[in-house]
Amino acid sequence: MFITRRIEFSASHVCANPALPDEENRRLFGDAANPYGHGHNYVVEVTLEGDPDPVSGMVLDLKELKAILNAQVVDSFDHRFLNKEVPPFDRTIPTVENIAIEIWNRIEPSLSRPPAKLHSVRVYETPNLYVDYFGDAR
Amino acid sequence: MFITRRIEFSASHVCANPALPDEENRRLFGDAANPYGHGHNYVVEVTLEGDPDPVSGMVLDLKELKAILNAQVVDSFDHRFLNKEVPPFDRTIPTVENIAIEIWNRIEPSLSRPPAKLHSVRVYETPNLYVDYFGDAR
Amino acid sequence: MFITRRIEFSASHVCANPALPDEENRRLFGDAANPYGHGHNYVVEVTLEGDPDPVSGMVLDLKELKAILNAQVVDSFDHRFLNKEVPPFDRTIPTVENIAIEIWNRIEPSLSRPPAKLHSVRVYETPNLYVDYFGDAR
Amino acid sequence: MFITRRIEFSASHVCANPALPDEENRRLFGDAANPYGHGHNYVVEVTLEGDPDPVSGMVLDLKELKAILNAQVVDSFDHRFLNKEVPPFDRTIPTVENIAIEIWNRIEPSLSRPPAKLHSVRVYETPNLYVDYFGDAR
Amino acid sequence: MFITRRIEFSASHVCANPALPDEENRRLFGDAANPYGHGHNYVVEVTLEGDPDPVSGMVLDLKELKAILNAQVVDSFDHRFLNKEVPPFDRTIPTVENIAIEIWNRIEPSLSRPPAKLHSVRVYETPNLYVDYFGDAR
Amino acid sequence: MFITRRIEFSASHVCANPALPDEENRRLFGDAANPYGHGHNYVVEVTLEGDPDPVSGMVLDLKELKAILNAQVVDSFDHRFLNKEVPPFDRTIPTVENIAIEIWNRIEPSLSRPPAKLHSVRVYETPNLYVDYFGDAR
């Protein structure tokens, strides 16, 4: 069984590889390479897999999940310019793909313990573009 | 191929295990353990797997699917206090996990017959919290 | 200029007038009269009217607005059975109309002071049914 | 890793098999068999699987994906009566199932090349009814 | 106080004035002038004004409102080609503006009687385009 | 009659008054004063008032409206850091209130000509916070 919680943060980013010339970044990323950055209301859906506990009827303690997501994701990402304020995005391009991988890496150690394990991280950059990441194991 | 139909019902519930002391229920479920109950506009997505019929181009008869979902789910759950009016929630805590399992158990016998079979039941308790259940076989 | 903030709470209610016989309540309210109650994810939009302050560029302090809405509405209504736990709904039928009026009455004293004043309270009972209340003055 | 882009088009269709008598089409499809047709705001989600490129941090060039989807889907389907103007729906019933299969067939050759491959096509006929198609291989 | 109910129907239409040459219709309406028509999932919000009744706490009987909207709008418009099957759209162009006016004209006689009166009809052609009509009196 | 078109842009901003000390900006704007900025998927709804033209059945030419909104708003605001790249936000704090006023000022000259006139500009900063601006005349 999967259980999914949705959180949101507002952040800005630049999509450009500092090792590439400007015109190449412009060709690859279009307006997303504008050097001053731009932003999004990111929506994150974190999905865990597990069986409901016979005593509580819940896969895991939702209050604890919320606390972990706030501490590991919202508090670090919300109202930030990702490239300048949130490592590793000073050296990793904060594409929506890399944001999903980074969120997985931050929360997986706290969430993948019995009886539940992290199944996927979905990140919406806009309502029309999103990614799903399942960890290296897939 | 999967085909998914979405239905809704409005119900109330209490999340508490009668075998536990009040303070333990409060610790486990927070405000959701308030004894008078509270409610949600539940959204259910039922997904079937099958191949489109060569004559009709449809996986299954959607009018029949709608009739089954209304008879088995909406008519029983809508405008009800689950713990008091909808078995087995008099003895099973109506967490969103257990609601999904109960909906699966109610509709699977009617839906899993050739050419289609029930693939999953998703239940949204709020837009920010939902579960997916795939039956025991997964 | 109007500024609107949206909040949510999950509650249950019964729509029935204790002074009427059961069959009359059933005729007036249908399934909403079921005595055990049922629930909704209520969405509230609170709209204030004012001019942006020349120094801050804001109509009012949004952090303060949020604190007022949480204290006056969410903390009292969320995860409650309105008829039994939230006065005046022990004696006033908690229709969506009366919920909007009660929210207006609770927040208007804190919000209608210079430079802003409360313009309207919208309450969605479901995505398909909502009311707008503008106070007595309209 | 999956990346999904959402597009929309507005079209009309009739769900009826020309080889069947009218009353049989009416029984199978209900009002959807009305001969003049009716329409929907279709929403399509196209999901690709791949790994982010180490240089760009992207699974694939999103500008190119958008160009392919516009050329292969939106330009052909938008503002059209599918049965009369969009082959093969002159001879294949444009159920939502068959629309998903046709979109897969149109875009798969352009999209399934290294480093990405087409994973699924989801088509919403309404917010309450959608299908997922994964190609023949599943 | 306003109370609003939302309904939906799926229909197709052509936006073209039969008295104009084809190129002029094409210039005015673009692809919406395609002669075979195209379609939308129309969403209609009907808003009434009134005061809650002291006995019922409701502005009007919602079951009766629903019955009127189904009889006057959904049953006539749903799954229809408006230009060919729904008068007056055989002679009035079914732009979203004219659809809103026609819905007003159909429901106003049934709805504007004490204690409530029809305030407005909103019609969404897509999530990105909608109109509000308030009757001639405004 | 009102007709409303919805557009979107993604931008970043800082909410801080350069004439104030940092701690005062922090007190007024909270995290929104972070100097590197953060961003949103802004949604703008532009509403015009007019009567449908007897020949076209439309209040105004929607293709022309779309072209004006793209040229005056989307092309200037999308993928930009408002404070640094979009005047007057180098000297006016880009609160959601001031963004709505600026959009009004940019589009009103092109839109308020017979037979239509600009009625309002709504700007959503997030789904939970939005403003409506009606021009000075209100």
Side-chain angles (χ1 to χ4, degrees), chain C residues 17 20 26-30 93 95-98 100-101 122 124-134 138, chain E residues 1-8 45 47 49 51-63 65 119 122:
Chain C
N17 184 335
L20 297 176
R26 173 66 51 178
R27 195 191 61 75
L28 272 172
F29 299 102
I93 311 173
T95 56
V96 64
E97 292 93 332
N98 283 338
I101 294 171
R122 174 176 286 191
Y124 288 84
E125 188 168 287
T126 72
N128 297 323
L129 182 69
Y130 60 88
V131 298
D132 293 282
Y133 183 62
F134 304 90
R138 191 188 174 91
Chain E
M1 177 165 233
F2 293 153
I3 185 157
T4 299
R5 182 162 278 282
R6 183 181 175 104
I7 57 172
E8 299 181 29
E45 293 190 346
T47 300
E49 183 170 5
D51 292 315
D53 178 78
V55 172
S56 72
M58 298 191 290
V59 167
L60 80 166
D61 185 318
L62 291 173
K63 299 184 304 304
L65 172 60
H119 172 72
R122 174 175 287 191

Side-chain angles (χ1 to χ4, degrees), chain F residues 104-118:
Chain F
W104 174 285
N105 290 341
R106 286 177 179 231
I107 64 178
E108 199 272 339
S110 312
L111 291 177
S112 283
R113 53 184 184 184
K117 69 185 181 69
L118 185 58

Side-chain angles (χ1 to χ4, degrees), chain C residues 1-9 42-50 59-62 64-74 77 99-112 116-124 131-134, chain F residues 122 124 127-132:
Chain C
M1 176 164 233
F2 293 152
I3 186 159
T4 300
R5 183 161 278 284
R6 182 179 175 105
I7 56 172
E8 299 180 28
F9 63 87
Y42 289 93
V43 174
V44 182
E45 294 190 345
V46 173
T47 300
L48 293 111
E49 183 170 8
V59 168
L60 79 166
D61 185 318
L62 291 172
E64 190 182 345
L65 173 60
K66 192 175 177 181
I68 291 170
L69 297 180
N70 280 339
Q72 303 289 346
V73 182
V74 178
F77 288 63
I99 292 171
I101 294 171
E102 175 61 16
I103 291 174
W104 173 285
N105 290 342
R106 285 178 180 229
I107 65 179
E108 199 271 341
S110 311
L111 291 177
S112 283
K117 71 187 179 69
L118 185 58
H119 171 72
S120 63
V121 170
R122 174 176 286 191
V123 182
Y124 288 84
V131 298
D132 293 282
Y133 183 62
F134 304 90
Chain F
R122 175 175 287 190
Y124 289 84
N128 297 324
L129 182 70
Y130 61 88
V131 298
D132 292 283

Side-chain angles (χ1 to χ4, degrees), chain F residues 45-116:
Chain F
E45 292 189 346
V46 172
T47 300
L48 292 112
E49 183 171 6
D51 293 314
D53 179 77
V55 173
S56 72
M58 297 191 290
V59 168
L60 80 166
D61 185 319
L62 290 173
K63 299 185 305 303
E64 190 183 345
L65 173 60
K66 193 175 176 181
I68 291 170
L69 297 180
N70 280 339
Q72 304 289 346
V73 182
V74 178
D75 291 353
S76 302
F77 288 62
D78 192 37
H79 284 83
R80 297 290 166 190
F81 190 161
L82 299 179
N83 305 59
K84 298 201 178 175
E85 299 183 276
V86 185
F89 298 122
D90 50 341
R91 54 191 192 279
T92 303
I93 311 172
T95 56
V96 64
E97 290 94 332
N98 283 337
I99 292 172
I101 293 171
E102 175 61 17
I103 291 174
W104 174 285
N105 290 341
R106 286 177 179 231
I107 64 178
E108 199 272 339
S110 312
L111 291 177
S112 283
R113 53 184 184 184

